[in-house]
Amino acid sequence: MQTFVLAGGCFWCLDAVYRTLRGVSDVVSGYTGGTVANPSYELVCTGTTNHAEAVAVTFDETEIPASVILDAFFTLHDPRQLNRQGADVGTQYRSAMFYADDEQKKLFEEAIERANEIWGGGVVTQLEPLGEFYRAEEYHQDFFAKNPGQGYCLAVALPKVNKVRKAFGEYVRAA
């Protein structure tokens, strides 16, 4: 099992996407990359903690390659947007990859290179060492499944889920 910590806008979207993929055993929404211990959602939303909304994605490489996890990350968000994703603006919505060791750093660097080719350059995804990861409040965990009719889920998360399902269909969980 391997765990990647990734940030690409609102963690609800990343959580929703990764839960659809076969081989992913756990997705935890949380905060990392900041300077405040045990931050709350409200505090992170102020943009003053330097934390990013992120997910810790745990997966089995015998079922889904690490490259698919990373390429799905670069499919579900626009890595050319600095400190934002669409209408979500602030450093907490930055595109970032938090590596736990040199092996992950190398995998992440290779994924950024692939993303630059796909997106035609301009990828601003930050590569940062993984520090403390703080689990977000319980209501943020599996938010999309718990709130399928919520406006943000319908307008923002669902199109991202569908985009990844289409691009990585062979790795989508059976319904």
Side-chain angles (χ1 to χ4, degrees), residues 12-13 15 23 57 61 63 72 76 87 115 117 121 132 135 141 157 166 169 175:
W12 296 345
C13 295
D15 178 277
V57 181
E61 287 188 85
E63 292 186 54
L76 73 95
E117 291 173 17
E132 190 73 34
R135 181 182 174 92
Q141 308 304 324
K166 183 177 179 185

Side-chain angles (χ1 to χ4, degrees), residues 6-18:
L6 307 169
C10 178
F11 47 31
W12 296 345
C13 295
L14 281 82
D15 178 277
V17 166
Y18 284 116

Side-chain angles (χ1 to χ4, degrees), residues 33-112:
T35 55
V36 175
N38 300 305
S40 67
Y41 179 68
E42 290 74 20
L43 189 58
V44 170
C45 284
T46 68
T48 62
T49 69
N50 294 322
H51 286 289
E53 288 191 14
V55 293
V57 181
T58 302
F59 62 98
D60 182 345
E61 287 188 85
T62 65
E63 292 186 54
I64 187 167
S67 62
V68 171
I69 296 292
L70 298 174
D71 292 347
F73 171 70
F74 285 110
T75 299
L76 73 95
H77 82 291
D78 185 343
R80 301 167 300 172
Q81 294 184 358
L82 183 62
N83 296 328
R84 73 176 304 142
Q85 277 301 295
D88 293 329
V89 179
T91 56
Q92 67 270 30
Y93 300 114
R94 69 186 178 270
S95 177
M97 306 170 89
F98 299 89
Y99 58 90
D101 55 34
D102 289 341
E103 182 182 328
Q104 280 191 1
K105 183 178 182 184
K106 184 176 187 296
L107 288 171
F108 292 176
E109 287 169 340
E110 292 167 355
I112 290 170

